[in-house]
Amino acid sequence: MRFIDKTILPGDITPKAIFEQRRNLIKAAAAGSFGAALAPWFSREAFAATPDKLAATLNQAYSSKDELTPLKYVTSYNNFYEFGTDKADPAEYAHTLQTRPWSISIEGLVKKPLTLDIDALLKITPMEERIYRMRCVEGWSMVIPWDGYSLSKLINKVEPLSSAKYVEFVSLADRKQMPGVKSSIIDWPYREGLRMDEAMNPLTLLTFGLYGEVLPKQNGAPVRIVVPWKYGFKSAKSIVKIRFTEEMPKTSWNQIDAREYGFYSNVNPQVDHPRWSQATERRIGDAKGVFAPKIKTQMFNGYGEQVASMYAGMDLKKYY
Ligand SMILES: Nc1nc2c(c(=O)[nH]1)N[C@H]1C(S)=C(S)[C@@H](COP(=O)(O)O)O[C@H]1N2
Ligand SMILES: [Mo]
């Protein structure tokens, strides 16, 4: 079943006017006047019945200028195997996820291990909005305004020991809330990891929301990681544990098939997946739908300036 891309959703019209409106709203947010009436294009159904606003300020320095993926695609075409393997499953089944109370434990090789309630975690530093390109290994991509703060802010609070070389992220795995956990496709819980310098890179976002509101459940509420220069699966959802280790942690997709999914998984148009090319991608929600033009995938998903130096001298064909 692995990664059978059954459907690219049919096209939708994203009129330029709507896009311009969003841009203006973002400009207003940057100027500090966010919180006015919702723009009409903003579909509320995708969010919880009582949506929570996140007071986030757009960080232009880290934001892509690419056209945004309409919210309805961001919330209806997802990978979240805890709720099923079909792209439509998370939107259908994730409502059973209980995102409060929620706590996250930060442990392992740190001076100050910490267990934090989600509301405390939300407040440790001001929230930013960043428009990131996301590239999935299957060849689709989206451009999403994410709300959160650099993971480094949290890491600094726990004071990692010098022996800490990697960071492991562990997602919730609760059969009662997550129907997909019955399946044995993954040795649950879902686990991902980063090297310490990758975790500390300012681009790595501890993420609580998107489009200015708390994360929809299908997108990994109440807290996830977003690592925009890596394939989508590195960005673990609904995390309950962050652990600092000396050894490279075992990660879920690597365990499923090490030949197909490496630990690094940096977006790299020159390194093909064993079963398909990674040279191009299609933007989900493009007005032309399945006929959307394939665009060239950029090295490190276009974030080379910020991240390439971390891999200087590494053979990225070997460390895929
Ligand atoms: N816990 C967990 N995290 C996960 C996944 C998952 O199945 N379980 N899927 C990953 C994959 S393959 C992708 S492409 C992204 C999708 O994130 P999105 O649905 O918000 O676009 O989440 C990643 N994080
Ligand atoms: Mo993915």
Side-chain angles (χ1 to χ4, degrees):
M1 59 63 30
R2 200 160 48 231
F3 285 160
I4 303 163
D5 202 354
K6 285 193 206 120
T7 48
I8 297 283
L9 289 181
D12 180 49
I13 299 162
T14 38
K16 201 160 174 38
I18 288 175
F19 178 62
E20 291 299 326
Q21 227 168 2
R22 171 66 194 165
R23 279 274 170 240
N24 290 338
L25 203 65
I26 286 169
K27 273 192 216 129
S33 60
F34 202 64
L38 278 173
W41 53 267
F42 197 98
S43 150
R44 282 195 160 265
E45 299 111 80
F47 294 104
T50 50
D52 267 341
K53 285 239 179 306
L54 287 175
T57 310
L58 182 73
N59 185 331
Q60 246 132 0
Y62 288 114
S63 290
S64 156
K65 303 218 165 14
D66 294 9
E67 186 161 353
L68 299 176
T69 301
L71 177 64
K72 68 171 174 180
Y73 296 106
V74 176
T75 59
S76 63
Y77 192 82
N78 305 101
N79 269 343
F80 199 170
Y81 278 20
E82 288 83 340
F83 295 100
T85 55
D86 194 279
K87 301 276 180 294
D89 286 341
E92 193 172 347
Y93 301 114
H95 61 90
T96 51
L97 177 66
Q98 303 233 291
T99 56
R100 276 203 171 55
W102 190 280
S103 69
I104 176 164
S105 79
I106 303 136
E107 54 186 64
L109 302 174
V110 295
K111 239 182 249 160
K112 299 179 172 161
L114 202 64
T115 298
L116 271 176
D117 174 74
I118 185 68
D119 292 305
L121 190 66
L122 270 161
K123 284 183 209 130
I124 74 165
T125 187
M127 197 73 58
E128 294 173 16
E129 185 159 86
R130 299 176 178 187
I131 300 168
Y132 280 170
R133 296 181 204 95
M134 297 293 282
R135 167 64 155 84
C136 184
V137 77
E138 296 142 285
W140 46 278
S141 60
M142 299 195 195
V143 181
I144 302 173
W146 296 106
D147 301 291
Y149 52 76
S150 285
L151 176 65
S152 64
K153 302 269 163 91
L154 177 63
I155 293 180
N156 288 334
K157 285 217 179 304
V158 296
E159 299 180 27
L161 305 174
S162 58
S163 53
K165 300 287 191 294
Y166 295 92
V167 187
E168 180 187 38
F169 306 99
V170 182
S171 298
L172 180 72
D174 181 353
R175 279 166 182 260
K176 287 196 277 312
Q177 303 177 46
M178 301 170 136
V181 173
K182 285 195 298 286
S183 135
S184 56
I185 170 150
I186 283 174
D187 179 15
W188 308 102
Y190 191 99
R191 273 163 291 122
E192 256 313 327
L194 294 172
R195 211 171 57 188
M196 195 66 182
D197 58 337
E198 298 176 322
M200 288 297 289
N201 187 285
L203 276 177
T204 301
L205 198 70
L206 191 65
T207 305
F208 304 91
L210 56 82
Y211 269 110
E213 304 224 5
V214 297
L215 279 171
K217 292 177 176 178
Q218 59 267 44
N219 295 93
V223 59
R224 67 175 295 173
I225 299 294
V226 176
V227 193
W229 72 96
K230 294 177 181 279
Y231 292 114
F233 68 87
K234 299 295 292 181
S235 295
K237 295 176 167 181
S238 304
I239 56 175
V240 290
K241 195 187 290 182
I242 299 179
R243 203 163 64 94
F244 292 78
T245 64
E246 183 152 19
E247 306 293 324
M248 183 182 279
K250 292 204 165 77
T251 59
S252 293
W253 281 100
N254 183 254
Q255 283 193 308
I256 290 172
D257 194 329
R259 212 174 59 91
E260 299 193 356
Y261 310 103
F263 177 81
Y264 286 94
S265 286
N266 292 316
V267 173
N268 187 343
Q270 286 142 36
V271 175
D272 291 339
H273 183 282
R275 290 181 286 133
W276 58 74
S277 159
Q278 292 290 17
T280 62
E281 67 198 67
R282 268 204 183 96
R283 285 279 152 83
I284 295 283
D286 182 286
K288 294 189 191 69
V290 270
F291 303 110
K294 285 188 173 175
I295 54 175
K296 278 204 168 119
T297 292
Q298 300 176 67
M299 186 66 199
F300 298 116
N301 206 19
Y303 296 95
E305 217 173 285
Q306 294 101 316
V307 305
S309 63
M310 294 191 291
Y311 310 102
M314 271 175 79
D315 177 355
L316 296 179
K317 285 206 161 70
K318 184 171 171 208
Y319 299 102
Y320 56 95

